[in-house]
mmCIF file with all atom_site columns, all heavy atoms in Angstrom:
data_model
loop_
_atom_site.group_PDB
_atom_site.id
_atom_site.type_symbol
_atom_site.label_atom_id
_atom_site.label_alt_id
_atom_site.label_comp_id
_atom_site.label_asym_id
_atom_site.label_entity_id
_atom_site.label_seq_id
_atom_site.pdbx_PDB_ins_code
_atom_site.Cartn_x
_atom_site.Cartn_y
_atom_site.Cartn_z
_atom_site.occupancy
_atom_site.B_iso_or_equiv
_atom_site.pdbx_formal_charge
_atom_site.auth_seq_id
_atom_site.auth_comp_id
_atom_site.auth_asym_id
_atom_site.auth_atom_id
_atom_site.pdbx_PDB_model_num
ATOM 1  N N   . ALA A 1 75 ? 2.287  -8.988  9.270  1.00 89.00 ? 483 ALA A N   1
ATOM 2  C CA  . ALA A 1 75 ? 1.397  -9.350  10.379 1.00 89.00 ? 483 ALA A CA  1
ATOM 3  C C   . ALA A 1 75 ? 0.969  -8.114  11.158 1.00 89.00 ? 483 ALA A C   1
ATOM 4  O O   . ALA A 1 75 ? -0.201 -7.989  11.558 1.00 89.00 ? 483 ALA A O   1
ATOM 5  C CB  . ALA A 1 75 ? 2.083  -10.350 11.299 1.00 89.00 ? 483 ALA A CB  1
ATOM 6  N N   . GLU A 1 76 ? 1.914  -7.190  11.374 1.00 90.00 ? 484 GLU A N   1
ATOM 7  C CA  . GLU A 1 76 ? 1.573  -5.940  12.068 1.00 90.00 ? 484 GLU A CA  1
ATOM 8  C C   . GLU A 1 76 ? 0.548  -5.144  11.266 1.00 90.00 ? 484 GLU A C   1
ATOM 9  O O   . GLU A 1 76 ? -0.405 -4.594  11.823 1.00 90.00 ? 484 GLU A O   1
ATOM 10 C CB  . GLU A 1 76 ? 2.835  -5.113  12.271 1.00 90.00 ? 484 GLU A CB  1
ATOM 11 C CG  . GLU A 1 76 ? 2.594  -3.740  12.886 1.00 90.00 ? 484 GLU A CG  1
ATOM 12 C CD  . GLU A 1 76 ? 3.832  -2.855  12.824 1.00 90.00 ? 484 GLU A CD  1
ATOM 13 O OE1 . GLU A 1 76 ? 4.950  -3.376  13.006 1.00 90.00 ? 484 GLU A OE1 1
ATOM 14 O OE2 . GLU A 1 76 ? 3.671  -1.642  12.598 1.00 90.00 ? 484 GLU A OE2 1
ATOM 15 N N   . PHE A 1 77 ? 0.748  -5.098  9.943  1.00 90.00 ? 485 PHE A N   1
ATOM 16 C CA  . PHE A 1 77 ? -0.189 -4.376  9.085  1.00 90.00 ? 485 PHE A CA  1
ATOM 17 C C   . PHE A 1 77 ? -1.595 -4.985  9.177  1.00 90.00 ? 485 PHE A C   1
ATOM 18 O O   . PHE A 1 77 ? -2.596 -4.272  9.331  1.00 90.00 ? 485 PHE A O   1
ATOM 19 C CB  . PHE A 1 77 ? 0.307  -4.400  7.642  1.00 90.00 ? 485 PHE A CB  1
ATOM 20 C CG  . PHE A 1 77 ? -0.677 -3.852  6.647  1.00 90.00 ? 485 PHE A CG  1
ATOM 21 C CD1 . PHE A 1 77 ? -0.841 -2.487  6.490  1.00 90.00 ? 485 PHE A CD1 1
ATOM 22 C CD2 . PHE A 1 77 ? -1.450 -4.704  5.872  1.00 90.00 ? 485 PHE A CD2 1
ATOM 23 C CE1 . PHE A 1 77 ? -1.746 -1.974  5.577  1.00 90.00 ? 485 PHE A CE1 1
ATOM 24 C CE2 . PHE A 1 77 ? -2.356 -4.201  4.956  1.00 90.00 ? 485 PHE A CE2 1
ATOM 25 C CZ  . PHE A 1 77 ? -2.511 -2.844  4.816  1.00 90.00 ? 485 PHE A CZ  1
ATOM 26 N N   . GLU A 1 78 ? -1.661 -6.290  9.103  1.00 91.00 ? 486 GLU A N   1
ATOM 27 C CA  . GLU A 1 78 ? -2.968 -6.948  9.156  1.00 91.00 ? 486 GLU A CA  1
ATOM 28 C C   . GLU A 1 78 ? -3.644 -6.709  10.501 1.00 91.00 ? 486 GLU A C   1
ATOM 29 O O   . GLU A 1 78 ? -4.869 -6.496  10.562 1.00 91.00 ? 486 GLU A O   1
ATOM 30 C CB  . GLU A 1 78 ? -2.807 -8.445  8.885  1.00 91.00 ? 486 GLU A CB  1
ATOM 31 C CG  . GLU A 1 78 ? -2.425 -8.748  7.440  1.00 91.00 ? 486 GLU A CG  1
ATOM 32 C CD  . GLU A 1 78 ? -2.316 -10.239 7.169  1.00 91.00 ? 486 GLU A CD  1
ATOM 33 O OE1 . GLU A 1 78 ? -1.882 -10.976 8.073  1.00 91.00 ? 486 GLU A OE1 1
ATOM 34 O OE2 . GLU A 1 78 ? -2.684 -10.648 6.062  1.00 91.00 ? 486 GLU A OE2 1
ATOM 35 N N   . ALA A 1 79 ? -2.856 -6.733  11.574 1.00 89.00 ? 487 ALA A N   1
ATOM 36 C CA  . ALA A 1 79 ? -3.429 -6.471  12.896 1.00 89.00 ? 487 ALA A CA  1
ATOM 37 C C   . ALA A 1 79 ? -3.966 -5.045  12.972 1.00 89.00 ? 487 ALA A C   1
ATOM 38 O O   . ALA A 1 79 ? -5.044 -4.794  13.537 1.00 89.00 ? 487 ALA A O   1
ATOM 39 C CB  . ALA A 1 79 ? -2.376 -6.703  13.971 1.00 89.00 ? 487 ALA A CB  1
ATOM 40 N N   . ARG A 1 80 ? -3.226 -4.121  12.395 1.00 89.00 ? 488 ARG A N   1
ATOM 41 C CA  . ARG A 1 80 ? -3.673 -2.728  12.420 1.00 89.00 ? 488 ARG A CA  1
ATOM 42 C C   . ARG A 1 80 ? -4.954 -2.555  11.611 1.00 89.00 ? 488 ARG A C   1
ATOM 43 O O   . ARG A 1 80 ? -5.882 -1.847  12.011 1.00 89.00 ? 488 ARG A O   1
ATOM 44 C CB  . ARG A 1 80 ? -2.560 -1.830  11.890 1.00 89.00 ? 488 ARG A CB  1
ATOM 45 C CG  . ARG A 1 80 ? -2.755 -0.374  12.172 1.00 89.00 ? 488 ARG A CG  1
ATOM 46 C CD  . ARG A 1 80 ? -1.468 0.423   11.994 1.00 89.00 ? 488 ARG A CD  1
ATOM 47 N NE  . ARG A 1 80 ? -0.948 0.345   10.638 1.00 89.00 ? 488 ARG A NE  1
ATOM 48 C CZ  . ARG A 1 80 ? 0.203  -0.251  10.301 1.00 89.00 ? 488 ARG A CZ  1
ATOM 49 N NH1 . ARG A 1 80 ? 0.938  -0.852  11.217 1.00 89.00 ? 488 ARG A NH1 1
ATOM 50 N NH2 . ARG A 1 80 ? 0.612  -0.262  9.048  1.00 89.00 ? 488 ARG A NH2 1
ATOM 51 N N   . MET A 1 81 ? -5.033 -3.230  10.476 1.00 91.00 ? 489 MET A N   1
ATOM 52 C CA  . MET A 1 81 ? -6.252 -3.150  9.663  1.00 91.00 ? 489 MET A CA  1
ATOM 53 C C   . MET A 1 81 ? -7.435 -3.802  10.374 1.00 91.00 ? 489 MET A C   1
ATOM 54 O O   . MET A 1 81 ? -8.597 -3.477  10.100 1.00 91.00 ? 489 MET A O   1
ATOM 55 C CB  . MET A 1 81 ? -6.020 -3.819  8.306  1.00 91.00 ? 489 MET A CB  1
ATOM 56 C CG  . MET A 1 81 ? -5.011 -3.104  7.414  1.00 91.00 ? 489 MET A CG  1
ATOM 57 S SD  . MET A 1 81 ? -5.394 -1.354  7.064  1.00 91.00 ? 489 MET A SD  1
ATOM 58 C CE  . MET A 1 81 ? -4.324 -0.491  8.244  1.00 91.00 ? 489 MET A CE  1
ATOM 59 N N   . ALA A 1 82 ? -7.143 -4.700  11.307 1.00 91.00 ? 490 ALA A N   1
ATOM 60 C CA  . ALA A 1 82 ? -8.201 -5.343  12.090 1.00 91.00 ? 490 ALA A CA  1
ATOM 61 C C   . ALA A 1 82 ? -8.611 -4.507  13.293 1.00 91.00 ? 490 ALA A C   1
ATOM 62 O O   . ALA A 1 82 ? -9.493 -4.918  14.055 1.00 91.00 ? 490 ALA A O   1
ATOM 63 C CB  . ALA A 1 82 ? -7.748 -6.724  12.540 1.00 91.00 ? 490 ALA A CB  1
ATOM 64 N N   . GLY A 1 83 ? -7.945 -3.374  13.487 1.00 89.00 ? 491 GLY A N   1
ATOM 65 C CA  . GLY A 1 83 ? -8.397 -2.456  14.524 1.00 89.00 ? 491 GLY A CA  1
ATOM 66 C C   . GLY A 1 83 ? -7.417 -2.174  15.631 1.00 89.00 ? 491 GLY A C   1
ATOM 67 O O   . GLY A 1 83 ? -7.701 -1.349  16.511 1.00 89.00 ? 491 GLY A O   1
ATOM 68 N N   . GLU A 1 84 ? -6.260 -2.841  15.641 1.00 83.00 ? 492 GLU A N   1
ATOM 69 C CA  . GLU A 1 84 ? -5.279 -2.558  16.678 1.00 83.00 ? 492 GLU A CA  1
ATOM 70 C C   . GLU A 1 84 ? -4.639 -1.195  16.416 1.00 83.00 ? 492 GLU A C   1
ATOM 71 O O   . GLU A 1 84 ? -4.394 -0.812  15.274 1.00 83.00 ? 492 GLU A O   1
ATOM 72 C CB  . GLU A 1 84 ? -4.207 -3.645  16.721 1.00 83.00 ? 492 GLU A CB  1
ATOM 73 C CG  . GLU A 1 84 ? -4.736 -4.998  17.176 1.00 83.00 ? 492 GLU A CG  1
ATOM 74 C CD  . GLU A 1 84 ? -3.635 -6.028  17.344 1.00 83.00 ? 492 GLU A CD  1
ATOM 75 O OE1 . GLU A 1 84 ? -2.456 -5.612  17.437 1.00 83.00 ? 492 GLU A OE1 1
ATOM 76 O OE2 . GLU A 1 84 ? -3.956 -7.224  17.376 1.00 83.00 ? 492 GLU A OE2 1
ATOM 77 N N   . ALA A 1 85 ? -4.341 -0.472  17.490 1.00 80.00 ? 493 ALA A N   1
ATOM 78 C CA  . ALA A 1 85 ? -3.772 0.867   17.357 1.00 80.00 ? 493 ALA A CA  1
ATOM 79 C C   . ALA A 1 85 ? -2.307 0.784   16.964 1.00 80.00 ? 493 ALA A C   1
ATOM 80 O O   . ALA A 1 85 ? -1.594 -0.150  17.343 1.00 80.00 ? 493 ALA A O   1
ATOM 81 C CB  . ALA A 1 85 ? -3.906 1.636   18.668 1.00 80.00 ? 493 ALA A CB  1
ATOM 82 N N   . TYR A 1 86 ? -1.841 1.786   16.201 1.00 73.00 ? 494 TYR A N   1
ATOM 83 C CA  . TYR A 1 86 ? -0.431 1.868   15.842 1.00 73.00 ? 494 TYR A CA  1
ATOM 84 C C   . TYR A 1 86 ? 0.354  2.477   16.988 1.00 73.00 ? 494 TYR A C   1
ATOM 85 O O   . TYR A 1 86 ? -0.067 3.451   17.601 1.00 73.00 ? 494 TYR A O   1
ATOM 86 C CB  . TYR A 1 86 ? -0.226 2.716   14.582 1.00 73.00 ? 494 TYR A CB  1
ATOM 87 C CG  . TYR A 1 86 ? 1.239  3.048   14.343 1.00 73.00 ? 494 TYR A CG  1
ATOM 88 C CD1 . TYR A 1 86 ? 2.143  2.043   14.001 1.00 73.00 ? 494 TYR A CD1 1
ATOM 89 C CD2 . TYR A 1 86 ? 1.723  4.343   14.491 1.00 73.00 ? 494 TYR A CD2 1
ATOM 90 C CE1 . TYR A 1 86 ? 3.480  2.311   13.808 1.00 73.00 ? 494 TYR A CE1 1
ATOM 91 C CE2 . TYR A 1 86 ? 3.067  4.626   14.297 1.00 73.00 ? 494 TYR A CE2 1
ATOM 92 C CZ  . TYR A 1 86 ? 3.942  3.611   13.952 1.00 73.00 ? 494 TYR A CZ  1
ATOM 93 O OH  . TYR A 1 86 ? 5.261  3.891   13.765 1.00 73.00 ? 494 TYR A OH  1
ATOM 94 N N   . ALA A 1 87 ? 1.520  1.911   17.284 1.00 64.00 ? 495 ALA A N   1
ATOM 95 C CA  . ALA A 1 87 ? 2.465  2.491   18.235 1.00 64.00 ? 495 ALA A CA  1
ATOM 96 C C   . ALA A 1 87 ? 3.859  2.340   17.652 1.00 64.00 ? 495 ALA A C   1
ATOM 97 O O   . ALA A 1 87 ? 4.103  1.507   16.780 1.00 64.00 ? 495 ALA A O   1
ATOM 98 C CB  . ALA A 1 87 ? 2.376  1.796   19.590 1.00 64.00 ? 495 ALA A CB  1
#
Side-chain angles (χ1 to χ4, degrees):
E484 175 191 322
F485 172 79
E486 290 182 325
R488 194 164 61 246
M489 294 304 99
E492 293 186 18
Y494 169 68

